[in-house]
Amino acid sequence: MEHERRGYEGFAGIAAEFASQSTPAWSPGRVAPGTAPNVIVMLVDDLGFSDLGPFGSEIPTPNIDRVSDRGWVFSNYRTAPMCSPARASLLTGLNPHRAGFGFVAHIDPGYPGYTCEMPAAAPTLAESLRAGGYATFMVGKWHLTLESRLHDAADRSSWPLQRGFDRYFGSMDGFTSLHHPHRLIRDNSVVDRPEFPPGYFLTDELVDESIAMIDELRVNDTDKPFFLYFAHTSVHGPIQAKPADIARHRGRYAAGWNAMRKERFERQRELGIIPEHAELPADAIADGDRIPAWDDLAETDQALFAAHMEVYAAAVDEVDQSVGRLVARLDELGERENTIIVIASDNGGTAEGGPNGTRSYFAQFGQATSLPTDWVTDVPRDPAEIGGPKLFNQYPTGWARVSNTPFRSFKSSTYEGGVHAPLIVSWPAQSSAVRELRDQFVFVSDLAPTILELVGVPPLAERNGVAALEPDGRSVAELLTHRDAPGREAQYFECVGRRAMVDGEWKALSRVPPTRDEGAAGGAWELYHLGDDPTETRDLASQRPTQTAQLAERWRAEAWRNTVFPLDDDGTLQSVRPETEARLSSPVSLIPFRPPLERFRSARLTNLRSFTVNATLRIEGDAETPEAAGVIVAHGDQGGGYLVAIDRDTVRLAYNAYGVMHRASGPGLGRGAHELELRVEELEGLRWRLVVSLDGADIAEIPSVPMLIGMAPFTGISVGYDYGGPVDWELHERWGAFRFHGGTIQRLVYTPGPRSAHDPTELRRIGEAVAELAD
């Protein structure tokens, strides 16, 4: 009698009822081609076109210089105007909006081009390489998961391990403090590390982790190639560096930004990075209204602004050191020759620091509401502290323009300053012994197809049983061996309504979002012939109106092909979010001594609203000498935050207003049970009043302080200690994380109050739009 043979479909051997009659078979497994090279992609955050030695910088980058000496320097590489879109495009080979990232991963308005998650049908470079037999590692900044899905109970389908990486270590948010990271993830779990040791620096740990991943692979498999995606958190703000590295650059920028920009421009000409006929854009068209002439500044301002740039140079220096350490380890392993190294930036340098820079990063970064006229965006502090753990700083616009030499404008712009970035590719086994220049147009979506062709691994044809989306990028591998091979011909750009279309040597751009009446291809457009005018100094739109209109319409067609629409004419792409986020603003009971509640999850309890914190405490010791001390609750860091602690038999309330400390205190807690409450009440003008009560009686008050808004407090809520970057530096110097002891925190509950009138967020039901259409 013949029985159904289930589960043997596709089995290549012979299965009988006894092993003696059967023949085994094994799947061949995933094995890379025998000579497949290792691949390292190093993406630097907010690095300007001219910030590396091969692109004209005065900042010493000897390790990157040596990498480029055995490779190719691309002078016409373009990327997306912002970081998440560039990262998604790099990993998927799709244009940014088709990859789900028309903006950074901080919105969720309900449209295909703005999901802020890579499509399920888009295999990543890591997924294709892993299927081709590679080990896949990542360290550093991810920024490809919706911020509402970064918490510990979130769906992890968009986290690095679920998108093709075997190992991951880093910060999944858009940036972090390098001295005291607000949250670190290893693989799929938060790193439980209550304190950072003195001298800790994240860039160093990212290199340590990278080398460890490679070493652990080699212990177990001497031949398997690896892919390492090293996504630096530097040089994104807050710009920070180690003291010794900062010291090396003291005095380097005394000449000022006008002189340094001209010097970089001349070096670029000498290096051949720009053509001889290129012009340095004059102040009238290159943000001169935001950048005062250096010689017109007061000496104190010159010293302050130079200090900002010294720290930026140190941060670039540290990126270079990371390259040196990785290359040194490859040399020790004998693997440098057959390792492809790609070094690039995600977008142009940023002007978010404003004309004067800031030592109070969160006072002006990421704000979703208009600020009062008396709002302080740069709290004065000792310039010697810039770059250190006490400050969250960003350099001034004048230095950002230097970073983007020779181009106009900055990150988030569709002028070349926002999208023209450095790119270096090195593969000693296949390159000549000299640095080679390439001036063909390459776009970020071309990188994944190029790498796959170079290593001989085909892209995955499907993902989870669904046919893969057709890539937008194409391999430019031929450029490495043929100097005259063609590059990309055309590419659209869009960022918050700013539009651009490159077609051959022509570029049309519109720096102002169009109105609904003007239409998606309407509004004011400019036209540049990049062959004659690569730095966009001569607008030809008035001379060639027909061509300008044709390119604008070409942009509109590309926008429909790439899920760019809708444009945000009414602000709802920033303000509308799904109603499922409402649960994140429900009261939360927190457990002492656990890792901090994730940043966005914490912010839903406090941002732009009143709230209360209630703690039930039991104090040990006798009636005269209670033993309790330590932090009860802390939220934030040196960029802004608040905490309640017991210190020297006193209840202490501390509030860090973007660098200005406010403190109040009340009597200590005697032995036994107590109810402690922190009330944070909204006042007019984006201000808070903070009151601590003990057993029903108010004991400490800070009557009026600027509200912490935008992305502050940045470090999430910790109970029983002050995690990472301290809220109150004086308390930290005495006690460190100041773990609560001499009693127990039996209960601690956050209860959000009503949302502020300043909060523009609108929560909508999932399916609401579909229901409206059905009606």
Side-chain angles (χ1 to χ4, degrees):
M1 180 178 177
E2 193 69 26
H3 294 284
E4 179 187 6
R5 299 189 176 200
R6 191 167 67 175
Y8 294 97
E9 300 87 355
F11 177 55
I14 299 171
E17 293 185 347
F18 295 95
S20 59
Q21 299 172 299
S22 303
T23 303
W26 292 267
S27 62
R30 300 182 293 194
V31 180
T35 58
N38 304 314
V39 179
I40 298 175
V41 174
M42 180 173 285
L43 193 65
V44 190
D45 204 350
D46 287 358
L47 184 79
F49 177 75
S50 72
D51 281 331
L52 301 178
F55 292 85
S57 181
E58 74 291 334
I59 303 170
T61 55
N63 297 296
I64 292 174
D65 294 353
R66 282 192 287 271
V67 169
S68 70
D69 286 343
R70 296 291 305 277
W72 301 266
V73 172
F74 289 80
S75 62
N76 198 13
Y77 171 70
R78 294 184 181 90
T79 179
M82 296 184 83
C83 50
S84 294
R87 293 160 198 275
S89 189
L90 186 158
L91 286 178
T92 63
L94 301 176
N95 282 328
H97 296 78
R98 277 192 77 220
F101 284 87
F103 195 68
V104 290
H106 300 289
I107 62 171
D108 190 8
Y111 298 103
Y114 304 87
T115 60
C116 291
E117 290 196 345
M118 292 180 288
T124 66
L125 175 60
E127 287 169 328
S128 291
L129 288 173
R130 184 161 67 181
Y134 274 70
T136 54
F137 307 138
M138 182 185 171
V139 299
K141 170 178 170 175
W142 177 241
H143 211 201
L144 291 173
T145 296
L146 277 167
E147 60 184 355
S148 61
R149 296 180 186 169
L150 292 175
H151 61 82
D152 294 324
D155 172 6
R156 286 169 165 77
S157 60
S158 62
W159 288 33
L161 263 61
Q162 285 64 249
R163 294 311 312 238
F165 290 98
D166 300 328
R167 303 280 302 278
Y168 171 71
F169 178 85
S171 172
M172 290 184 56
D173 229 319
F175 57 92
T176 194
S177 166
L178 301 181
H179 296 289
H180 298 112
H182 73 292
R183 180 174 166 92
L184 293 172
I185 298 293
R186 183 182 300 281
D187 299 331
N188 272 330
S189 301
V190 64
V191 175
D192 189 357
R193 181 186 292 169
E195 288 190 87
F196 293 93
Y200 172 89
F201 200 69
L202 178 58
T203 301
D204 292 340
E205 185 168 28
L206 295 181
V207 182
D208 293 343
E209 290 285 337
S210 299
I211 292 173
M213 291 175 186
I214 295 168
D215 286 349
E216 289 163 17
L217 172 67
R218 285 293 165 258
V219 165
N220 292 280
D221 191 322
T222 57
D223 300 318
K224 188 174 187 176
F226 65 82
F227 167 48
L228 169 64
Y229 175 35
F230 192 130
H232 272 282
T233 52
S234 200
V235 291
H236 195 293
I239 301 172
Q240 297 174 323
K242 294 181 289 187
D245 295 324
I246 296 172
R248 274 200 300 277
H249 298 276
R250 290 294 185 210
R252 188 183 295 276
Y253 295 98
W257 47 54
N258 299 103
M260 301 305 294
R261 182 172 179 243
K262 291 177 182 177
E263 289 178 13
R264 287 195 182 187
F265 183 69
E266 291 305 318
R267 276 193 297 271
Q268 289 174 329
R269 279 181 164 166
E270 294 169 6
L271 291 166
I273 292 298
I274 57 174
E276 281 293 327
H277 63 266
E279 298 178 17
L280 190 62
D283 280 359
I285 61 169
D287 301 282
D289 57 328
R290 295 195 279 168
I291 303 172
W294 187 263
D295 291 342
D296 293 342
L297 294 170
E299 288 186 9
T300 53
D301 286 340
Q302 289 181 342
L304 172 62
F305 298 165
H308 276 291
M309 189 58 189
E310 290 162 1
V311 172
Y312 184 87
V316 174
D317 181 342
E318 289 161 352
V319 169
D320 183 72
Q321 293 174 44
S322 74
V323 173
R325 289 186 59 198
L326 282 171
V327 169
R329 186 64 185 131
L330 292 173
D331 283 335
E332 291 167 358
L333 294 170
E335 298 187 35
R336 171 66 187 101
E337 289 292 307
N338 201 32
T339 297
I340 298 170
I341 297 179
V342 178
I343 301 172
S345 177
D346 58 348
N347 45 247
T350 179
E352 68 191 19
N356 300 317
T358 181
R359 288 158 285 183
S360 307
Y361 189 65
F362 293 119
Q364 65 182 48
F365 179 79
Q367 307 295 357
T369 187
S370 58
L371 300 175
T373 56
D374 61 350
W375 194 266
V376 178
T377 58
D378 178 31
V379 173
R381 257 88 55 85
D382 184 353
E385 300 285 1
I386 293 174
K390 295 182 183 180
L391 295 190
F392 281 41
N393 49 276
Q394 178 61 277
Y395 70 169
T397 302
W399 293 122
R401 188 172 68 170
V402 173
S403 288
N404 293 338
T405 304
F407 302 117
R408 294 171 60 178
S409 202
F410 312 98
K411 172 183 177 179
S412 82
S413 166
T414 55
Y415 283 110
E416 291 297 292
V419 300
H420 213 121
L423 172 65
I424 297 167
V425 178
S426 174
W427 187 6
Q430 299 293 326
S431 67
S432 64
V434 296
R435 180 187 303 177
E436 296 189 49
L437 281 176
R438 295 291 185 268
D439 62 2
Q440 291 89 336
F441 179 12
V442 177
F443 187 61
V444 62
S445 63
D446 299 326
L447 295 183
T450 300
I451 290 168
L452 290 173
E453 180 177 343
L454 290 175
V455 304
V457 171
L460 285 173
E462 62 178 38
R463 184 174 185 272
N464 294 338
V466 178
L469 295 175
E470 179 184 0
D472 298 304
R474 69 173 188 85
S475 172
V476 293
E478 188 183 8
L479 280 173
L480 304 188
T481 53
H482 295 82
R483 181 183 299 274
D484 298 324
R488 173 178 287 268
E489 187 67 19
Q491 180 63 38
Y492 84 91
F493 299 87
E494 189 277 337
C495 185
V496 292
R498 305 177 187 117
R499 299 153 289 162
M501 185 70 218
V502 173
D503 188 1
E505 292 193 331
W506 290 95
K507 178 180 178 181
L509 72 85
S510 180
R511 58 181 174 176
V512 179
T515 66
R516 183 174 173 178
D517 290 340
E518 290 170 331
W525 285 78
E526 302 167 19
L527 180 68
Y528 299 96
H529 187 268
L530 297 178
D532 295 335
D533 182 22
T535 56
E536 300 170 316
T537 64
R538 297 183 295 278
D539 178 11
L540 304 177
S542 62
Q543 301 173 35
R544 306 177 75 101
T546 301
Q547 184 177 6
T548 304
Q550 288 172 343
L551 281 173
E553 190 58 35
R554 171 76 184 279
W555 177 89
R556 181 170 172 264
E558 289 296 311
W560 275 118
R561 291 186 66 249
N562 288 282
T563 65
V564 174
F565 295 128
L567 299 179
D568 194 13
D569 63 321
D570 59 3
T572 56
L573 263 62
Q574 298 288 326
S575 62
V576 169
R577 305 181 76 107
E579 193 182 46
T580 50
E581 287 190 11
R583 68 171 70 102
L584 301 181
S585 297
S586 300
V588 172
S589 295
L590 298 175
I591 300 170
F593 312 122
R594 301 304 304 151
L597 190 67
E598 184 273 327
R599 173 194 64 80
F600 184 78
R601 187 73 180 80
S602 297
R604 293 311 87 198
L605 306 174
T606 67
N607 193 260
L608 288 172
R609 68 196 325 152
S610 300
F611 62 94
T612 60
V613 184
N614 294 94
T616 300
L617 310 172
R618 177 163 290 278
I619 306 304
E620 298 171 355
D622 56 45
E624 282 72 32
T625 56
E627 299 174 356
V631 170
I632 298 169
V633 65
H635 185 193
D637 43 48
Q638 286 291 286
Y642 58 91
L643 68 74
V644 179
I646 302 174
D647 180 29
R648 298 170 179 172
D649 198 26
T650 299
V651 174
R652 299 193 184 276
L653 171 63
Y655 188 88
N656 187 325
Y658 308 107
V660 177
M661 287 304 304
H662 302 262
R663 298 181 179 92
S665 60
L669 283 67
R671 183 176 182 274
H674 297 278
E675 295 293 328
L676 184 142
E677 180 178 74
L678 169 64
R679 300 194 309 275
V680 181
E681 302 165 351
E682 182 182 5
L683 305 175
E684 288 295 321
L686 288 174
R687 300 186 74 81
W688 271 333
R689 171 177 177 253
L690 289 81
V691 180
V692 173
S693 68
L694 178 63
D695 298 326
D698 293 349
I699 61 170
E701 176 182 351
I702 297 176
S704 179
V705 285
M707 188 182 286
L708 297 173
I709 56 177
M711 299 188 78
F714 194 61
T715 298
I717 301 165
S718 52
V719 179
Y721 68 112
D722 186 5
Y723 168 81
V727 172
D728 187 332
W729 194 265
E730 290 183 10
L731 202 65
H732 170 76
E733 284 190 317
R734 288 203 303 270
W735 307 112
F738 205 12
R739 184 180 174 94
F740 187 81
H741 58 279
T744 56
I745 303 171
Q746 297 178 327
R747 181 186 69 104
L748 191 136
V749 178
Y750 267 76
T751 304
R755 286 167 45 197
S756 170
H758 296 281
D759 186 354
T761 305
E762 178 185 346
L763 299 180
R764 291 190 184 176
R765 289 194 189 95
I766 292 177
E768 181 178 284
V770 176
E772 289 177 359
L773 287 173
D775 288 344

